[in-house]
Amino acid sequence: QVQLVESGGGLVQAGGSLRLSCAASGRTFSNYAMGWFRQAPGKERESVAAITRGGGSTTYRDSVKGRFTISRDNAKNTVYLQMNSLKPEDTAVYYCAASSSRFGLDPMEYGYWGQGTQVTVSS
């Protein structure tokens, strides 16, 4: 069992930045690929970014490439999402998730989820 707690969300103006954190506890953090997902009101949950167990590889959805950066610190059991040049369409609840199987952007591969943190970008 892995417990995940997100933090760092908030209200920011378009063009601004936020850094989300996700603290993990329970099983060995480095055994899990990690991902960030988001869900806007009235929309389905969508992938944002993912990172391998060791942090050597990352992947992003096209709309955030060049603006968002996922990283992890296995010594601190934490994964981060640095979000720059934020746009109103980035407004959503952001979730981190852990996968004991495959690395990637498919939410079905992730068995553990946090409660989410709200990100609101004003225009």
Side-chain angles (χ1 to χ4, degrees):
Q1 193 83 346
V2 175
Q3 292 79 43
L4 303 171
V5 179
E6 302 95 336
S7 61
L11 173 64
V12 64
Q13 289 188 331
S17 298
L18 283 174
R19 188 175 84 153
L20 306 183
S21 300
C22 173
S25 60
R27 298 286 181 88
T28 304
F29 180 65
S30 59
N31 286 346
Y32 296 87
M34 298 297 295
W36 284 98
F37 299 82
R38 65 188 182 187
Q39 187 167 19
K43 296 187 177 181
E44 293 188 356
R45 188 171 296 188
E46 62 183 21
S47 61
V48 176
I51 189 167
T52 53
R53 290 164 177 76
S57 293
T58 57
T59 187
Y60 300 88
R61 70 179 297 107
D62 287 345
S63 62
V64 307
K65 285 180 181 177
R67 300 189 299 123
F68 291 11
T69 303
I70 188 172
S71 61
R72 66 189 295 163
D73 185 338
N74 285 347
K76 296 183 177 180
N77 292 348
T78 302
V79 62
Y80 305 97
L81 185 69
Q82 178 67 45
M83 304 186 296
N84 299 328
S85 302
L86 283 161
K87 303 176 181 180
E89 52 262 43
D90 294 318
T91 294
V93 177
Y94 282 71
Y95 301 88
C96 71
S99 171
S100 60
S101 56
R102 297 181 60 181
F103 151 76
L105 296 177
D106 182 356
M108 297 299 291
E109 296 291 344
Y110 291 80
Y112 303 97
W113 294 80
Q115 297 282 68
T117 185
Q118 177 71 47
V119 171
T120 303
V121 184
S122 63
S123 57

